[in-house]
Amino acid sequence: MDEERRFPDFEQKWQKAWAASSKPAADQPGKKTDKDFYILSMFPYPSGRLHFGHALPYTLTDSIARYKRMCGCNVLNPMGWDAFGLPAENAAIEAVRRGEKNVHPARMTYDSIEAMRKQMNAFGYSFDWDREVYTCKPDYYKWTQWLFLKMHEKGIAYRKKARVNWCPDCKTTLANEQVETHVKDGEDFQACFRCGTPVEPREIDAWFLAITKYADRLLSGLDNLQKSWPELVTSQQRNWIGRSEGVNIDFTIELRAGASGSGPLKPPGESDPNTQRETLTVFTTRADTTFGVTYVAIAPEHPLVDRILKLVDPRTHKRITEFVKETLNMTEQDRASGDEKEGVATGMFAVNPLNGEKIPVFVANYVLMYGTGAVMAVPAHDERDHEFAREYRLPMKQVIKPAPGSDDEVNIKQEAYTAQGVLVDSGPYTGSTSAEAIARIGADLKSKQSGGPVVNYKLRDWGISRQRYWGCPIPMIHCAKCGVVPVPESDLPVTLPDDVDFLPTGRSPLTDHPAFRSVKCPTCGADARRDTDTMDTFVDSSWYFLRYTDARNDKAIFDPGKAARWTPVDLYVGGREHAILHLIYARFFNMFAHDIGLTAHQEPFARLYAHGLIQGESRRVVTDEMDRYVSEDELQRLVDAGKVEPGQVVRRIEKMSKSKLNGADPTTLVSQYGADALRLTILFAGPAESDSVWDNDGIKGPYNFLRRWHDLALSAAPLVEDLPQMGADCVINAASKKLRYAAHVLVERATGEFEGRFALNTVIAKAMELVNEIRAFIAAENLSGPCKGAADPTLPSRWSLAEAFDILARCMAPFAPHTAEELWHALGGKQSVFETTWPKADPAALVLDEIELPVQVNGKVRGTIRLPATADKATMERLALENENVKKFVEGKAIQKLIVVPGKIINVVAR
RNA sequence: GCGGAGGUGGCGGAAUGGCAGACGCGCUGGACUUAGGAUCCAGUGGGUAAAACCGUGCGGGUUCAAGUCCCGCCCUCCGCACCA
């Protein structure tokens, strides 16, 4: 950018003025009214650098917040920091390893926050900084701990030994939701969502939050969010919660000592005295296929495996043990992605409660600890069972035939028939449809007390223990005598000590901090130890939107009255990457807060807006010597030097990142073009919900627009200064009407978009049109010099011009606040443009005297006619048929129909 | 496989069933300039001398009129995926 650029030179001036005059949002406790508007963008992790992932949502929310304030609303638009977490800790570890001194995650975090707040201010964002929260400060995490204690009290937070996902690189556990499927060399594997390292299973004692107790509410709540949340998010959450209706069926399993899984699988004779009978419950969604069961399979983790191992012969024992060990060494998901279905016969048999058949029991790798961890296998009607049965040559029995009228071909030897249909060979149920049979069998089992209809969810409880330092301590104490004891509320917060060696060992760093670790048991006073794990940072961010409503309260988590004033959040803006994790946790926490009387609403976010990603084009050079990302500049040099051929460059659109060298830095762009130009560019690029690719040239249009508006306003200032009041009898000319039309169209468009779908790019386009209209107007009207008083004949034109500038400044104020403020004052505004009210479109201005109407012949436009807006239908028809070109196309044909849509179109149908 | 989003000029994108391509970038020509990678003016979907005509992923359909509604496909992106 050129050195000589002077525009804009006023942004900091206005930022200072606004900071000096800013008023906090009113927050008297009470009922929320139409005028209270809580808008929120997801708070950031303080990485130290504001990037486009922040600039888009904050620009969007700031514009909406400013609009709402101009509409007279009491707006809450807070900002804070999701400040605990691994990146700071990892960066500190790296720094220590490099030999740096005085490194601490806390310092790095606070430094980052200072830097980012400065960057945000440079954008002119109007956040309510007086409510800023830091999740890593004791005044915040005290209440995170308090919520944990409440959950513990209500049985929602509990401790259990569990197989968890362990990231060997981050040296901590991950929740199921934090594990992603990655693909490398054609193999998929489960990886840490943060660093991409393959995860391993680990058995660990950990704290869990019983989110599954809220499964039904989390699911049914989505119904009400259907209209105001993106389908994308609600459908993902539905899928994640994974409700399925089915039937539990109790099989009786006969446990015989000395059973063998080797050799032919024959049910044992009648009454073996050593047989113990137990119930093995399976879950199925296809109870209609129960007569087709040919074996039962249980998960390797199933509790029954241990019982079986105690009874079987040594050979079978060995096979099962090895198989189970091998399977459990994989993560659950890795096991799922393996393509071979494998299993081991246990030698035990189960009795089908519906037909009394005895069928073999397998341990199988494809059975998960979902539902009951055991399935009835129906190879004829289930693909997985079919595959397994083929592998192990197990029998298949068809019990479903296609429904009448279906042209499905069935060959169960070839493949399973999984569609619903009509039952065959199914005893009393033969002839029923699948749906009828499922209902009847469910009811029959229930009355026989051997099962019945149940609902299962895929959702699992949320493991929150992390073996890392930079997080919220878990307020629990382990006492040898009393067991696990909560820290008394009066002792909160359990403060995270500063002087901790946080270099990773695989153990929680706090374990090695004796002063933190050792504590007296609050119950018996004996020596005890604190829980040394810290919480998943998603816990911190699950309730921050509630804290904002009363952020400085040191007596309580927040005043429910103040929360009632603001919540639910009217508009929550954030990235799609949080569609399940954060947004389901936050809903869960809000429901819990509701249950303990803290909030009035079950759902925290009335409307959710999922913004897109601003991506960058990366350039990767692949030659014999190199294979890496390069910057555009470096690429140019390499090409100029003849070291790289164009064909050796792979260009891709990817998420901006440092390592890919495809990022643009918004803060640099602000210093080059000004905050307003960047704000407009971001919003003008397209609808905010769709992804876009950053293009450095994209800023030119908005930048030129601002400059043109600015220059135009300054040069036109003398034309519109000190105008006398216009009388009601003022008559304006056609050009003025056209100008007014453009101005009021802008008002209408801006208002509509702010209230509806937020396609703000179209609002900016209308503002650009208005600037173009103003330029044309001034040129055409030949206005010059100051107004010559009430008798000045150019007065109506000047008045129209003044109005156009007025509307332009007010409508653009939410988008380009600095420029709007500057020009508002330049054209005589006395107070801040943000103290004026949002303009209202004048319906009279939206009606043109004369309109142009396209005339179609047989659906194709053949001409346009000009006519007064008030013309009646007959006139329209007459003018349409008089049009020369229309005549030409109608000639020689009979007019069959004349469609007249007033204000829109005329269509002559001629054959 | 399941779920979601999307496919419109050279590019980003506009279009309550009613003139497809608003607005912007880029490009072309011109003006002003010592200069232009500044600014201003004009033009800019393909096609034609001008028309005609052809154009919103593909194929059908409804309608006076379809980017938009219906049916059947194709492709791209995202998420989930042995959940019985």
Side-chain angles (χ1 to χ4, degrees):
Chain A
M1 191 61 201
D2 56 275
E3 299 297 315
E4 292 157 50
R5 183 181 70 77
R6 289 283 149 74
F7 177 84
D9 58 0
F10 45 76
E11 293 193 338
Q12 292 187 7
K13 173 180 76 182
W14 292 117
Q15 285 169 11
K16 278 183 198 138
W18 296 332
S21 66
S22 82
K23 282 174 239 136
D27 70 342
Q28 299 79 12
K31 242 191 145 75
K32 183 171 174 131
T33 72
D34 288 350
K35 287 286 174 197
D36 295 312
F37 190 77
Y38 185 1
I39 181 167
L40 182 64
S41 40
M42 293 178 182
F43 67 168
Y45 175 81
S47 61
R49 207 179 110 248
L50 196 79
H51 52 77
F52 275 104
H54 303 118
L56 170 61
Y58 302 160
T59 301
L60 181 68
T61 48
D62 187 63
S63 298
I64 298 168
R66 286 177 181 275
Y67 160 76
K68 282 286 181 183
R69 288 194 201 102
M70 288 176 78
C71 290
C73 289
N74 179 32
V75 175
L76 181 58
N77 181 212
M79 181 45 67
W81 310 97
D82 189 12
F84 270 137
L86 283 183
E89 189 169 344
N90 289 343
I93 290 165
E94 285 309 310
V96 169
R97 285 180 176 156
R98 280 196 307 268
E100 288 176 36
K101 300 272 181 254
N102 295 324
V103 186
H104 196 276
R107 244 220 10 241
M108 307 184 88
T109 302
Y110 289 120
D111 287 352
S112 290
I113 289 173
E114 290 315 309
M116 287 176 79
R117 196 190 301 104
K118 211 178 265 172
Q119 292 173 315
M120 289 182 185
N121 285 330
F123 271 85
Y125 295 144
S126 59
F127 293 124
D128 291 286
W129 287 115
D130 55 311
R131 293 161 186 267
E132 185 181 19
V133 301
Y134 295 55
T135 59
C136 66
K137 282 192 176 176
D139 70 342
Y140 182 89
Y141 69 67
K142 172 180 180 177
W143 303 108
T144 307
Q145 293 172 341
W146 182 85
L147 273 174
F148 181 91
L149 291 182
K150 288 288 152 196
M151 287 191 167
H152 184 253
E153 204 177 297
K154 304 279 178 201
I156 299 296
Y158 68 99
R159 193 165 172 79
K160 73 174 176 187
K161 199 175 235 351
R163 282 170 57 79
V164 294
N165 302 296
W166 174 262
C167 172
D169 190 48
C170 297
K171 293 204 162 49
T172 189
T173 57
L174 300 168
N176 285 325
E177 295 90 323
Q178 293 163 350
V179 175
E180 298 174 341
T181 304
H182 285 210
V183 182
K184 199 176 175 183
D185 304 329
E187 296 269 310
D188 20 337
F189 61 96
Q190 298 306 305
C192 171
F193 80 120
R194 205 177 282 113
C195 63
T197 308
V199 301
E200 301 164 358
R202 266 211 182 180
E203 186 97 342
I204 204 164
D205 269 317
W207 286 102
F208 282 80
L209 302 183
I211 190 170
T212 50
K213 290 197 176 164
Y214 285 77
D216 54 341
R217 285 165 67 186
L218 288 168
L219 186 67
S220 59
L222 292 173
D223 294 342
N224 303 322
L225 301 175
Q226 200 72 48
K227 286 193 198 81
S228 52
W229 280 39
E231 176 79 23
L232 171 83
V233 176
T234 52
S235 68
Q236 278 191 64
Q237 291 207 358
R238 270 201 188 90
N239 186 12
W240 190 261
I241 295 165
R243 181 191 152 96
S244 73
E245 288 180 23
V247 175
N248 270 355
I249 304 180
D250 293 344
F251 282 64
T252 304
I253 182 165
E254 302 184 336
L255 297 172
R256 288 176 302 120
S260 168
S262 317
L265 296 169
K266 279 223 185 76
E270 270 315 297
S271 47
D272 184 332
N274 292 325
T275 299
Q276 306 166 33
R277 289 192 165 71
E278 292 226 357
T279 296
L280 173 62
T281 307
V282 304
F283 173 70
T284 181
T285 54
R286 290 297 303 273
D288 55 321
T289 63
T290 308
F291 280 75
V293 174
T294 56
Y295 66 99
V296 166
I298 63 176
E301 302 91 328
H302 197 285
L304 201 60
V305 171
D306 282 341
R307 293 285 319 272
I308 291 172
L309 281 175
K310 290 201 179 96
L311 296 168
V312 290
D313 72 359
R315 195 167 155 206
T316 307
H317 186 281
K318 187 168 174 241
R319 289 177 60 190
I320 296 177
T321 322
E322 278 172 7
F323 176 74
V324 168
K325 198 176 153 200
E326 187 189 318
T327 310
L328 295 190
N329 256 336
M330 294 186 259
T331 64
E332 195 166 86
Q333 291 92 341
D334 278 328
R335 190 168 125 199
S337 58
D339 27 38
E340 289 293 298
K341 290 191 174 28
E342 287 170 7
V344 177
T346 60
M348 303 300 175
F349 283 79
V351 182
N352 184 331
L354 291 191
N355 61 9
E357 267 180 37
K358 285 190 182 174
I359 48 181
V361 176
F362 284 75
V363 182
N365 66 352
Y366 74 95
V367 181
L368 309 176
M369 269 315 286
Y370 167 77
T372 62
V375 300
M376 56 177 223
V378 187
H381 303 293
D382 182 282
E383 279 166 18
R384 297 152 300 185
D385 299 340
H386 191 269
E387 201 186 312
F388 188 88
R390 272 239 282 228
E391 182 73 29
Y392 293 93
R393 297 172 200 282
L394 298 165
M396 303 184 186
K397 192 176 156 200
Q398 181 179 349
V399 291
I400 304 288
K401 67 175 186 193
S406 159
D407 51 5
D408 287 349
E409 298 260 340
V410 184
N411 181 351
I412 60 154
K413 288 234 164 55
Q414 283 298 311
E415 60 174 353
Y417 182 68
T418 57
Q420 298 211 343
V422 175
L423 277 68
V424 293
D425 289 335
S426 295
Y429 307 100
T430 300
S432 309
T433 65
S434 290
E436 287 162 9
I438 289 169
R440 271 178 61 199
I441 291 172
D444 291 351
L445 287 167
K446 194 172 177 195
S447 63
K448 277 171 44 186
Q449 299 203 325
S450 40
V454 286
V455 172
N456 268 314
Y457 296 93
K458 276 200 279 187
L459 187 71
R460 313 262 179 108
D461 281 347
W462 175 16
I464 60 156
S465 295
R466 297 288 180 273
Q467 293 70 45
R468 292 296 294 246
Y469 162 63
W470 191 233
C472 174
I474 295 172
M476 286 288 164
I477 291 168
H478 301 270
C479 171
K481 261 189 270 169
C482 312
V484 182
V485 183
V487 172
E489 255 181 59
S490 54
D491 289 354
L492 295 182
V494 176
T495 312
L496 183 70
D498 284 338
D499 51 340
V500 172
D501 178 6
F502 46 79
L503 292 186
T505 59
R507 261 198 322 275
S508 296
L510 290 173
T511 314
D512 301 319
H513 189 287
F516 177 86
R517 192 182 135 104
S518 49
V519 67
K520 297 287 180 210
C521 170
T523 309
C524 70
D527 285 343
R529 63 176 179 87
R530 287 192 190 279
D531 198 299
T532 52
D533 286 347
T534 52
M535 295 187 208
D536 181 0
T537 54
F538 277 97
V539 180
D540 308 328
S541 57
S542 291
W543 70 279
Y544 74 109
F545 48 92
L546 294 171
R547 181 66 181 174
Y548 279 142
T549 64
D550 192 14
R552 297 292 163 256
N553 195 329
D554 58 2
K555 303 280 183 294
I557 184 166
F558 53 83
D559 173 353
K562 290 192 177 181
R565 175 70 185 261
W566 292 112
T567 59
V569 175
D570 294 277
L571 180 66
Y572 194 33
V573 175
R576 293 189 287 253
E577 65 274 22
H578 295 110
I580 28 191
L581 299 177
H582 166 61
L583 285 169
I584 216 162
Y585 296 150
R587 293 180 59 222
F588 162 46
F589 265 59
N590 194 76
M591 284 177 185
F592 178 77
H594 173 81
D595 290 353
I596 60 173
L598 290 175
T599 63
H601 296 86
Q602 303 248 4
E603 291 291 342
F605 312 121
R607 179 167 176 190
L608 177 73
Y609 187 89
H611 66 78
L613 214 58
I614 296 185
Q615 299 168 301
E617 189 188 50
S618 65
R619 299 141 302 261
R620 192 189 185 110
V621 171
V622 185
T623 67
D624 293 342
E625 287 93 61
M626 61 192 287
D627 179 1
R628 62 180 170 88
Y629 287 104
V630 296
S631 68
E632 190 65 58
D633 289 348
E634 189 187 357
L635 178 65
Q636 198 54 53
R637 281 197 300 278
L638 287 167
V639 171
D640 290 348
K643 288 183 180 156
V644 171
E645 309 266 318
Q648 295 169 317
V649 184
V650 183
R651 288 177 182 271
R652 281 185 63 188
I653 304 301
E654 299 181 275
K655 187 174 172 176
M656 285 185 182
S657 82
K658 254 187 202 163
S659 60
K660 295 184 183 118
L661 299 169
N662 66 338
D665 177 26
T667 303
T668 307
L669 290 161
V670 165
S671 62
Q672 288 175 335
Y673 295 90
D676 285 352
L678 189 53
R679 291 169 62 115
L680 285 179
T681 306
I682 287 168
L683 296 175
F684 186 61
E689 66 260 30
S690 55
D691 291 344
S692 60
V693 180
W694 179 257
D695 169 12
N696 267 322
D697 288 338
I699 204 164
K700 288 183 182 170
Y703 176 76
N704 283 338
F705 158 69
L706 287 174
R707 194 181 39 70
R708 275 198 275 251
W709 171 22
H710 177 260
D711 294 353
L712 194 60
L714 294 194
S715 67
L719 305 176
V720 297
E721 265 165 3
D722 303 320
L723 298 185
Q725 200 70 36
M726 287 311 293
D729 54 343
C730 161
V731 179
I732 60 173
N733 64 13
S736 294
K737 280 191 175 155
K738 205 168 154 237
L739 182 62
R740 287 204 78 207
Y741 179 79
H744 288 266
V745 162
L746 170 61
V747 174
E748 200 175 49
R749 169 64 71 150
T751 310
E753 294 301 344
F754 274 128
E755 292 297 337
R757 52 175 201 165
F758 306 127
L760 302 184
N761 52 327
T762 65
V763 180
I764 296 166
K766 286 279 177 276
M768 289 172 167
E769 285 181 62
L770 179 54
V771 165
N772 294 342
E773 288 288 341
I774 293 174
R775 288 157 70 90
F777 180 79
I778 292 175
E781 291 293 286
N782 262 320
L783 299 176
S784 64
C787 171
K788 295 182 185 65
D792 191 327
T794 64
L795 209 45
S797 297
R798 290 171 186 267
W799 181 79
S800 304
L801 183 61
E803 187 200 34
F805 275 120
D806 175 295
I807 282 177
L808 183 58
R810 283 192 285 159
C811 285
M812 279 293 101
F815 301 89
H818 311 85
T819 312
E821 187 78 303
E822 174 76 9
L823 299 181
W824 180 256
H825 286 269
L827 295 185
K830 296 287 178 272
Q831 71 310 32
S832 166
V833 69
F834 296 103
E835 281 161 31
T836 67
T837 55
W838 184 252
K840 239 189 152 123
D842 174 4
L846 292 170
V847 181
L848 291 167
D849 293 347
E850 200 183 47
I851 55 170
E852 247 181 31
L853 216 52
V855 182
Q856 297 181 330
V857 178
N858 295 331
K860 287 188 176 166
V861 179
R862 298 302 183 183
T864 53
I865 54 173
R866 295 193 65 83
L867 71 176
T870 52
D872 62 11
K873 230 173 157 171
T875 315
M876 286 190 240
E877 289 178 5
R878 183 175 52 79
L879 285 171
L881 295 173
E882 276 172 9
N883 180 284
E884 283 307 316
N885 205 41
V886 171
K887 269 190 196 161
K888 214 170 86 191
F889 280 90
V890 174
E891 203 169 39
K893 293 174 185 166
I895 295 177
Q896 297 184 328
K897 223 186 209 178
L898 213 54
I899 314 271
V900 179
V901 186
K904 291 287 182 195
I905 207 160
I906 297 171
N907 193 4
V908 184
V909 184
R911 293 281 174 251

